[in-house]
């Protein structure tokens, strides 16, 4: 009997434990391999800088000293993992949360525009999807433009949005939210259109034989069938929305936000700070996706969908 068959044969509570135990080992191995390769890359890329520093100081050095130096540089080409962890610990727990030096302060600024942009993008994407599904003219006219809009590099359009909105007095949170919404509405629209069209033609015909109206078909058939597609799009969109908020902070010279943290690190050559901000963004995106997944589980449970 295969491992998957044994898991399926177990009770539901035990099944979750078995699945978790079955994935922990491979994930741990992959993480250890990545860390090992990272340390090797850090040693290789920082080696020349350490040897040059020793030469300028006129000091004698051994291979072991150079090796240790590559993992403890103040401004390395590639920081070692433990340096990034130390920077995260210092900037999150070692500084007051109200200080601009605290990474959580910058994360909150970026999160604010991310959530606003995600809300706007989700609303726009869902409305467009409903219109496209029910009005065939809009499907032919809107879909090509929606797809074409995503071919424009966000780094090119972000400064335009910032300048145009700034010229009419709109600054601060809203322009960054618009950039987030621009990025995240697309996956929601596409997934929602796919979901609303997922019921078979025979199912829709059956609803019509019961004299169901268009609104009843939408609420009782199309919408429930589209939820799994919608949440898949929302998970992608919430992560992209964070990227949009960070990109929106770059051309404005913002003083706060993860984008501002990245800019400050690049200006002063603080590579450890840059990587810490990147990891902070990755952690924040993971939390947002986990929240969307939790909402999906709650909705599925309320609808009576059994977990696999």
């Amino acid at each position: 009997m295969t491992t998957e068959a044994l898991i399926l044969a177990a009770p539901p509570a035990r099944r979750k434990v078995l699945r978790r135990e079955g994935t922990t080992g491979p994930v741990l191995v992959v993480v250890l391999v990545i860390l090992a390769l990272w340390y090797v890359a850090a040693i290789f890329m920082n080696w020349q800088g350490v040897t040059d520093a020793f030469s300028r100081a006129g000091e004698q050095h051994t291979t072991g000293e150079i090796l240790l130096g590559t993992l403890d540089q103040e401004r390395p080409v590639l920081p070692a993992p433990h340096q990034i962890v130390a920077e995260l610990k210092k900037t999150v727990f070692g500084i007051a949360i109200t200080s601009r030096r605290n990474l959580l302060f910058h994360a909150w600024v970026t999160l604010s525009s991310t959530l606003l942009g995600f809300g706007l993008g989700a609303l726009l994407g869902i409305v467009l999807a409903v219109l496209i599904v029910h009005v065939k003219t809009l499907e032919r006219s809107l879909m090509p433009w929606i797809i074409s809009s995503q071919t424009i590099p966000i780094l090119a359009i972000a400064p335009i949005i910032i300048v145009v909105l700034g010229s009419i007095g709109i600054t601060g949170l809203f322009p960054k939210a618009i950039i987030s919404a621009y990025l995240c509405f697309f996956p929601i629209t596409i997934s929602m259109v796919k979901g609303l069209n997922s019921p078979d033609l025979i199912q829709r015909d059956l609803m019509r034989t019961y004299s169901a109206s268009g609104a009843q078909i939408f609420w009782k058939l199309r919408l429930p069938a589209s939820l799994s597609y919608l949440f898949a799009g929302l998970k992608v969109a919430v992560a992209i929305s964070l990227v949009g908020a960070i990109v929106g902070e770059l051309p404005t010279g913002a003083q706060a936000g993860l984008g501002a943290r990245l800019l400050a690190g690049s200006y002063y050559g603080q590579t450890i700070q840059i990587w810490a901000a990147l990891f902070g963004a990755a952690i924040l995106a993971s939390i947002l996706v986990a929240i969307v997944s939790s909402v999906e589980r709650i909705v599925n449970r309320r609808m009576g969908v059994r977990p696999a």
Side-chain angles (χ1 to χ4, degrees), residues 128-136 139 192-193 196-197 222:
L128 285 176
V130 173
L131 292 175
I132 287 170
V133 168
H134 287 88
V135 183
K136 293 301 179 184
E139 180 181 5
M192 191 65 174
V193 168
L196 292 174
N197 287 325
R222 285 184 181 271

Side-chain angles (χ1 to χ4, degrees), residues 37-38 41-43 45-46 70 73 75-80 83 271 275:
L37 292 176
W38 192 334
I43 292 171
M45 297 183 68
N46 299 331
T70 59
Q73 275 188 300
R75 296 181 180 181
V77 176
L78 177 62
Q83 291 179 292
T271 52
W275 279 86

